[in-house]
Structure formats: structure tokens, C-alpha cells
């Protein structure tokens, strides 16, 4: 069955450093992958989408990579700030399906 | 940007009662809306997909008679939890998608916290 795994442990980093979050998927060939941010008690907010033919996508301090050979996406936040503290969800999407399937999420805590 | 609202933001009800949650796309027409459920410290689990004017498609293991979905217009979908029980207590989140393309972004509502006593 399709499986999506993200860092299960919370990621604690110091302000100003780069945070790197991992998303691995198995039994799956997504045409593209999305990353979302979720704050406690709130719905997810869309951040970035990367297609299978794109190696890298950037938006301000965010960078996403997509390696279809490794079946992995990496999400980077450079110059991290305490306001970046949240849970980050990856959601690969198969070509024919209508549905977003979410990973387990990684809790990022940026310490001042 | 696209905004999706949910109402109510939280609700507490007695076991056996029914609860209706509304999901509205405020500044766009949503051809498809999705309902998710999220338990504490877990990810979002898709419950059902609804297209305007047609019956919802439920995910495996989700009881369609218990979770009634109505997508009556392009801006409104409702989820009714019938005969709610404490195990139905969860965070319910809807999302809406404007286009039919597979890369069209889903915009999420703020969620509804349901507590069944």
C-alpha cells in the first residue's frame, strides 16, 4: 500500500540555521508533491508544489527538492525564525488520483 | 487569496445527537470539496470527496450513513455527524479546490473541533 513517511521526531534547531525536513514515499509514483504548514488547532496552509520533472523549487526562504529515484522530497527553510515553528506536512499526489494523501508531519521548533 | 471558512469552529454535544459542520469557499467557486479528520498528533485522514451536485465518494472504512455530506452549491458543503459518540471527537477540516486540474491547489478551512460527551 502507499506509504508516506516524514521525520517522526520533532526537529529542534537554532534561529538562523537551516531546517531540513524529509518526506519519503513508497509504492507510489506521484506526478507532483505539495508541502503544507499547519499550526496547532488550524487547517493546513499551502506552501509549495513541485512536479516530478522539477528537481528543485524555491520561494523566498523555502526550497523543495524532489528525487523520484530516491522517492524522496526535502524541504528546507533557510535563516529559520521562531515564527517558522509549526508542523510541516508533505502530500504526494498520484497522476490519476483526485486525492491528496498527507504524510505524518514533522514538528519544527525554532529556538530563539 | 482563496479563503475557505468553516462553521462552527468548535462544538460540544451530547452522545447520540447530530452535528452539522459547514464549509464555504468565500471568494471562489469550488468544484470539489474534501473532508478530513485529524486526531491529536496524527496526520489528516481523508474521509470523503464531494463534487457539487453529486453524491460524495467516501474513503474505505468511513461510514457514509454516519457522516452525511451535502455539496449543494459551488460554495457550500456540509458534513453532518449523525448520532455522534465520544469516539467521533476529532478535528474536522474541509478543503476546497477551484479547478479540475490535478495540480490545482486545495485551500483548507480552519477546522472544527468536535467534542462528544
Amino acid at each position: 500500500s502507499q506509504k508516506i513517511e516524514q521525520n517522526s521526531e520533532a526537529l529542534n534547531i537554532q534561529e538562523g540555521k537551516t531546517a531540513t525536513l524529509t518526506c519519503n514515499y513508497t509504492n507510489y509514483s506521484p506526478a507532483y508533491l505539495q508541502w503544507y504548514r499547519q499550526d496547532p488547532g488550524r487547517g493546513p496552509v499551502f506552501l509549495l508544489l513541485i512536479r516530478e520533472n522539477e528537481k528543485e523549487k524555491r520561494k523566498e526562504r523555502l526550497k523543495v527538492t524532489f528525487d523520484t529515484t530516491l522517492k524522496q522530497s526535502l524541504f528546507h527553510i533557510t535563516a529559520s525564525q521562531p515564527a517558522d515553528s509549526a508542523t510541516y506536512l508533505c502530500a504526494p499526489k498520484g497522476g490519476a488520483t483526485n486525492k491528496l494523501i498527507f504524510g505524518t508531519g514533522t514538528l519544527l521548533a525554532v529556538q530563539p | 487569496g482563496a479563503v475557505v471558512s468553516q462553521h462552527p469552529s468548535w462544538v460540544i454535544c451530547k452522545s447520540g445527537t447530530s452535528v452539522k459542520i459547514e464549509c464555504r469557499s468565500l471568494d471562489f467557486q469550488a468544484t470539489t470539496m474534501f473532508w478530513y479528520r485529524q486526531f491529536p498528533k496524527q496526520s489528516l485522514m481523508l474521509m470523503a470527496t464531494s463534487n457539487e451536485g453529486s453524491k460524495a465518494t467516501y474513503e474505505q472504512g468511513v461510514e457514509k450513513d454516519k457522516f452525511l455530506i451535502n455539496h449543494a452549491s459551488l460554495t457550500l458543503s456540509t458534513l453532518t455527524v449523525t448520532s455522534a459518540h465520544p469516539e467521533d471527537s476529532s478535528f474536522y477540516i474541509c478543503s476546497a479546490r477551484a479547478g479540475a486540474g490535478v495540480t490545482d491547489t486545495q485551500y483548507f478551512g480552519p477546522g472544527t473541533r468536535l467534542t462528544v460527551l
Side-chain angles (χ1 to χ4, degrees):
Chain A
S1 60
Q2 296 170 347
K3 197 173 180 183
I4 304 157
E5 290 183 328
Q6 296 185 245
N7 312 61
S8 57
E9 300 293 324
L11 183 62
N12 292 287
I13 64 166
Q14 207 66 33
E15 182 176 7
K17 302 290 185 183
T18 296
T20 299
L21 286 66
T22 305
C23 175
N24 295 297
Y25 56 92
T26 54
N27 299 323
Y28 212 162
S29 295
Y32 65 95
L33 187 148
Q34 300 186 19
W35 282 88
Y36 286 79
R37 167 183 174 142
Q38 186 177 25
D39 291 283
R42 307 292 295 173
V45 174
F46 171 74
L47 296 175
L48 278 170
L49 178 152
I50 185 166
R51 291 177 173 78
E52 61 180 337
N53 60 350
E54 297 175 315
K55 295 294 184 189
E56 182 181 296
K57 199 79 164 282
R58 290 176 185 261
K59 180 182 175 183
E60 297 172 354
R61 293 185 295 111
L62 309 180
K63 184 178 84 171
V64 172
T65 62
F66 193 7
D67 189 325
T68 55
T69 302
L70 291 178
K71 293 187 179 294
Q72 180 182 80
S73 175
L74 298 179
F75 178 81
H76 306 272
I77 304 175
T78 58
S80 60
Q81 304 165 1
D84 296 326
S85 299
T87 296
Y88 291 85
L89 305 165
C90 76
K93 194 160 181 179
T97 184
N98 207 11
K99 304 179 280 194
L100 272 180
I101 307 296
F102 284 87
T104 49
T106 297
L107 176 61
L108 173 66
V110 181
Q111 309 297 333
Chain B
V3 178
V4 176
S5 70
Q6 279 185 243
H7 178 80
S9 55
W10 59 271
V11 57
I12 301 172
C13 69
K14 292 182 179 179
S15 188
T17 60
S18 294
V19 174
K20 180 185 280 189
I21 302 170
E22 290 187 351
C23 176
R24 292 181 186 273
S25 56
L26 297 185
D27 49 3
F28 67 100
Q29 293 187 324
T31 52
T32 306
M33 286 185 168
F34 303 85
W35 286 95
Y36 294 82
R37 181 166 56 180
Q38 187 175 35
F39 291 105
K41 298 192 184 299
Q42 295 187 24
S43 192
L44 284 78
M45 297 300 297
L46 180 65
M47 298 175 67
T49 302
S50 76
N51 293 295
E52 185 264 340
S54 61
K55 288 185 178 180
T57 302
Y58 291 80
E59 293 300 301
Q60 193 172 10
V62 178
E63 300 174 58
K64 61 180 181 181
D65 294 330
K66 181 167 183 63
F67 298 99
L68 301 178
I69 291 172
N70 187 316
H71 192 161
S73 76
L74 285 172
T75 59
L76 173 64
S77 176
T78 60
L79 167 69
T80 301
V81 183
T82 61
S83 187
H85 287 97
E87 59 265 29
D88 298 323
S89 298
S90 188
F91 191 50
Y92 292 86
I93 308 172
C94 73
S95 71
R97 191 174 69 194
V102 291
T103 60
D104 288 322
T105 301
Q106 284 185 28
Y107 298 95
F108 285 81
T112 297
R113 173 77 56 194
L114 170 63
T115 303
V116 185
L117 302 176

